[in-house]
Amino acid sequence: MMTGKRIGMESSLGIAEAVKLANADVVAAYPITPQTHIVERLAELVANGELDAAYIPVESEHSAMSACLGSAATGARTFTATAGQGLELMHEVLYVASSMRLPIVMAVANRALSSPLNVWGDHSDVMAVRDTGWIQMFAENGQQVFDLTLCAFRIAEDPEVLFPVMVHLDGFHLSHVVEPFYLMEQDVVDKFLPRFRFPLALDPDKPLTAGAFFPPGVYGEARRAQDDALRSVRPVISRTWREFEEISGRSYKPVETYRADDARVLLLTMGSFSETAMLAIDQLRERGQQVGLVRIRLWRPFPFTEFRQAVGNAETLVVLDRAISYGGPTGPVCAEVKAALYSEPKRPRIVSYVGGLGGRDILVSEFVEMIEKGTALAESGVEEELLTIGVRV
Amino acid sequence: MIGTKTLTDNPVDLYLRADRMPHIWCSGCGVGPSVACFVKAIHRTGLDTDKIAIVSGIGCSGRVAGYVKVDSFHTTHGRAIPFATGLALANPELKVVVFSGDGDLAAIGGNHLIHAARRNIDMTVICYNNFNYGMTGGQLGPTTPLEAKSTTSPYGNCDPPFNLPHLVAACGASYVSRWTVIHPRQLEKSMAEALTKPGFTFVEVLGPCPTTYGRMNKLGRGVDELRAYQERCVVSNGVDPRDAEIGLNGPILVGNFVDLSRPTFWDHCVKIFGRAQKK
């Protein structure tokens, strides 16, 4: 059930359309490549009256997220977008957003980090904010960017959730490409995403203090409570995506698979490279190989149950990371995956690849190579700490 | 061909990384001409290029650090001045120059700008002001004039801008000037003065950005923007910088505004630490 007219649009503009349909009240942002088209479009929609919101052109990303805290704390539906260095400059404020349970939605056009300076895509920025307490999800194409942004508001504002949400889209590879979109009617969105009533909103008639000092005697309890709360939102996310499916016909799950049912070897990806990886899976399937693809859509809170189910029957799991954990065990995603499977009685052998850094493409042939070499390596029993794909060594 | 001379090399090539050319700046951009003035100013001062360090932030003018043949560093967005402060204090013999843009220096790095001026740190800051964030596609910045259009103010800017010479002068800068890239002689001379004067010295360079600011505000090509500067600029040496606000239209005051002597941060350090160490 794909409703409405199919149109072509840059993914960044698709996010702006979702924010407009969500009727956001406040957008605070600072320009940074490759995110800028999102907020430029929003500035235009606000200025010409199509979106009744305040657009705050702040002086840095640190200020952008700080302004978002303030606006969300009053109960305003709040959106921002950033990328790479901008996300890192927000870093300390990100923790405050999640700890104060402020349901901000942020699109992150994933970008590499300095130095050397690089404006192109990878997941270094995501991994650096992994533990900030935000709900984080990955989009693979333009339609998903639109859908997940709409769902992000609904999830963030759910009274059982009240956490900020990041929607990740690969910088340039996804943010700047023109993609096919089915947009939605305003009344359908309004029903799915009713007016936000923040139960903890700042209100002069009912004063409250948030974010105050917590000494050692209570700090640990607050942290524990926050982690419990974040872990408990997984059913709400799945339920929201099911409800979204009812109005859109498009289905989302915390972990998604492609031709994985009888797969002996699974490849794991996150983000837009998943669609290229699917072509590699198709090629190998045509050659009769039992291979499939697993994509982690929900990065935080990590969907342990769904993930274990998805990979439990495979013999080999080849994990692609688009970030390096310097001096760490493997790529950051692979390290998580290994941790998630360590206690399982039956688990696949795991091979870690790092590639696609700083905007470097990964070709279909390279995905094929990763699967084939990774499988051979896994069968040999040799453990390499870090394998790279497409990198001159 | 009596009386003519053919030069095969540009005399300022000595100061530039010619192997990195062509540069990335757009046709009609003013950053290149401001760099030309800058390297001529270095030549004019006779400073030893081994004792000059250039630091840039992020943005189009942030690329200057990569094109000038001296020790240079391209820092993160807004942090050129703190980086340069470290250099200047660790090696007081070094002539430290920050070459960056208005967005980098006055918005995301604005705090550092005012505090470096307050401390009178020994450094020269050259601020290429094109009234918008050019590299990211022409968003409004801290110097965008009221009413001016940008990609984040498509119907006109509601944010009153900074008057940068007034800002840094009020914070305590020792030398403050403003020129445009159609004043190459004055700009070069002013840069040379700034480079040789102790303390925090600041040169604002106004220049065109035909790709974003110029296009959004229908200013024509780079050369048309230059012509507009020629028509609008009023040379006003010594004028109180508070009167040098820049509007969307109307006169633009340029000139050498402030030139005074006050102890630098290092002077205070030498005095106070020296006193403490005598005890």
Side-chain angles (χ1 to χ4, degrees):
Chain A
M1 179 187 65
M2 296 287 181
T3 53
K5 196 175 152 208
R6 192 175 194 234
I7 56 165
M9 190 169 34
E10 190 185 303
S11 297
S12 291
L13 306 188
I15 297 180
E17 285 302 316
V19 175
K20 184 186 93 171
L21 284 164
N23 248 318
D25 299 309
V26 174
V27 178
Y30 186 76
I32 184 165
T33 307
Q35 161 282 127
T36 329
H37 293 179
I38 303 169
V39 297
E40 278 179 4
R41 176 71 181 139
L42 284 167
E44 188 183 351
L45 292 171
V46 170
N48 68 19
E50 285 183 69
L51 172 60
D52 181 14
Y55 181 88
I56 317 174
V58 288
E59 60 284 338
S60 76
E61 287 87 357
H62 195 277
S63 315
M65 186 45 64
S66 300
C68 287
L69 295 188
S71 89
T74 67
R77 187 168 282 164
T78 303
F79 177 82
T80 187
T82 193
Q85 301 297 128
L87 186 63
E88 302 319 313
L89 188 58
M90 286 180 177
H91 198 88
E92 66 163 346
V93 198
L94 297 175
Y95 287 90
V96 182
S98 57
S99 301
M100 285 173 57
R101 310 291 295 269
L102 298 171
I104 299 158
V105 172
M106 172 159 67
V108 182
N110 307 137
R111 166 180 156 172
L113 298 178
S114 287
S115 181
L117 178 58
N118 179 298
V119 299
W120 293 274
D122 71 26
H123 293 167
S124 307
D125 56 355
V126 185
M127 296 306 148
V129 300
R130 187 188 64 179
D131 296 335
T132 52
W134 284 55
I135 295 169
Q136 301 189 42
M137 51 190 69
F138 276 84
E140 296 163 341
N141 58 42
Q143 185 68 61
Q144 294 182 4
V145 160
F146 173 85
D147 293 350
L148 293 178
T149 303
L150 271 182
C151 291
F153 283 107
R154 169 73 186 272
I155 292 164
E157 295 169 5
D158 190 299
E160 291 177 54
V161 177
L162 295 178
F163 276 111
V165 180
M166 282 183 213
V167 177
H168 294 295
L169 68 155
D170 286 316
F172 290 112
H173 276 105
L174 183 50
S175 65
H176 281 52
V177 295
V178 174
E179 291 270 279
F181 280 89
Y182 290 98
L183 300 182
M184 298 176 88
E185 296 300 325
Q186 187 67 58
D187 57 333
V188 177
V189 174
D190 288 346
K191 253 181 244 160
F192 176 70
L193 187 62
R195 207 175 154 68
F196 175 42
R197 300 220 179 278
F198 186 31
L200 309 167
L202 294 178
D203 179 349
D205 295 329
K206 287 180 283 176
L208 61 86
T209 299
F213 232 95
F214 262 38
V218 283
Y219 183 83
E221 282 72 13
R223 282 287 161 267
R224 173 67 203 254
Q226 185 178 334
D227 187 60
D228 287 347
L230 185 62
R231 285 172 198 280
S232 74
V233 308
R234 283 173 288 215
V236 184
I237 295 173
S238 295
R239 187 178 73 215
T240 306
W241 281 339
R242 278 196 304 275
E243 281 181 42
F244 185 78
E245 185 179 359
E246 284 166 22
I247 60 167
S248 69
R250 295 183 292 272
S251 148
Y252 296 98
K253 293 190 182 68
V255 176
E256 291 176 22
T257 54
Y258 179 74
R259 304 184 80 166
D261 285 348
D262 62 338
R264 290 174 51 238
V265 179
L266 285 173
L267 175 67
L268 187 149
T269 53
M270 299 202 303
S272 64
F273 282 27
S274 304
E275 298 202 334
T276 314
M278 287 176 194
L279 299 175
I281 300 295
D282 289 344
Q283 277 189 10
L284 291 170
R285 281 278 176 183
E286 273 168 37
R287 291 188 220 154
Q289 297 185 30
Q290 285 171 276
V291 297
L293 181 67
V294 178
R295 301 111 73 199
I296 299 178
R297 177 165 313 287
L298 182 64
W299 174 230
R300 277 294 182 276
F302 193 86
F304 291 100
T305 310
E306 293 89 342
F307 177 73
R308 287 170 185 144
Q309 277 170 3
V311 303
N313 291 323
E315 292 162 20
T316 302
L317 178 63
V318 179
V319 181
L320 170 67
D321 263 285
R322 292 190 61 206
I324 283 192
S325 167
Y326 300 110
T330 56
V333 175
C334 187
E336 296 247 326
V337 159
K338 282 188 169 180
L341 296 174
Y342 183 74
S343 56
E344 294 300 290
K346 185 171 173 296
R347 58 176 191 252
R349 294 167 300 215
I350 297 171
V351 178
S352 166
Y353 268 100
V354 171
L357 300 179
R360 182 78 63 89
D361 228 340
I362 299 182
L363 307 174
V364 175
S365 58
E366 289 172 315
F367 278 110
V368 170
E369 182 189 329
M370 252 187 286
I371 294 168
E372 289 182 334
K373 282 197 177 163
T375 309
L377 201 68
E379 281 165 5
S380 74
V382 178
E383 280 228 23
E384 297 261 358
E385 281 187 7
L386 184 78
L387 289 167
T388 49
I389 186 79
V391 177
R392 295 182 293 274
V393 190
Chain B
M1 298 292 278
I2 298 160
T4 64
K5 190 173 148 191
T6 305
L7 291 177
T8 49
D9 296 316
N10 191 315
V12 298
D13 275 357
L14 188 62
Y15 302 98
L16 295 171
R17 296 181 202 271
D19 56 320
R20 305 302 298 270
M21 302 294 158
H23 56 67
I24 62 141
W25 297 308
C26 305
S27 167
C29 169
V31 179
S34 68
V35 174
C37 291
F38 176 65
V39 294
K40 284 183 203 156
I42 294 178
H43 187 71
R44 180 191 276 260
T45 60
L47 284 166
D48 178 359
T49 49
D50 282 345
K51 293 204 171 133
I52 302 176
I54 302 216
V55 187
S56 289
I58 297 294
C60 299
S61 43
R63 299 295 283 254
V64 171
Y67 295 129
V68 181
K69 200 152 62 183
V70 298
D71 281 339
S72 61
F73 198 88
H74 195 164
T75 63
T76 51
H77 202 8
R79 313 307 152 191
I81 288 179
F83 187 93
T85 301
L87 285 182
L89 298 183
N91 186 355
E93 300 299 308
L94 212 54
K95 181 68 237 176
V96 178
V97 182
V98 169
F99 204 127
S100 212
D102 53 306
D104 182 80
L105 288 166
I108 194 164
N111 207 18
H112 309 306
L113 178 69
I114 60 175
H115 290 287
R118 170 178 69 85
R119 296 186 176 113
N120 206 23
I121 304 271
D122 221 338
M123 70 169 72
T124 296
V125 174
I126 294 167
C127 175
Y128 184 79
N129 179 1
N130 56 11
F131 305 105
N132 76 143
Y133 291 101
M135 182 165 270
T136 47
Q139 298 79 21
L140 81 89
T143 56
T144 310
L146 270 177
E147 305 272 350
K149 294 193 170 95
S150 73
T151 50
T152 45
S153 60
Y155 301 93
N157 172 29
C158 321
D159 261 13
F162 270 138
N163 167 355
L164 293 177
H166 179 41
L167 176 70
V168 293
C171 293
S174 292
Y175 180 92
V176 181
S177 71
R178 173 196 285 156
W179 294 99
T180 80
V181 292
I182 57 144
H183 300 92
R185 300 279 177 210
Q186 296 95 322
L187 178 57
E188 176 195 327
K189 190 157 172 288
S190 176
M191 285 174 165
E193 285 173 13
L195 284 170
T196 46
K197 184 165 176 76
F200 186 86
T201 61
F202 183 84
V203 179
E204 182 183 30
V205 186
L206 307 182
C209 177
T211 303
T212 56
Y213 185 76
R215 187 170 52 189
M216 288 299 291
N217 291 285
K218 299 196 166 37
L219 301 176
R221 295 176 304 151
V223 69
D224 300 316
E225 253 184 270
L226 291 178
R227 204 167 284 125
Y229 281 129
Q230 195 175 22
E231 285 161 11
R232 293 178 63 191
C233 284
V234 181
V235 177
S236 316
N237 288 313
V239 80
D240 186 337
R242 81 174 62 229
D243 298 326
E245 283 191 5
I246 300 175
L248 187 57
N249 302 299
I252 297 172
L253 303 192
V254 295
N256 301 324
F257 299 144
V258 174
D259 188 350
L260 50 82
S261 290
R262 93 181 167 95
T264 66
F265 176 74
W266 189 243
D267 293 336
H268 289 298
C269 291
V270 169
K271 187 175 145 205
I272 293 167
F273 296 163
R275 200 166 59 211
Q277 284 160 16
K278 264 186 214 148
K279 281 181 185 168

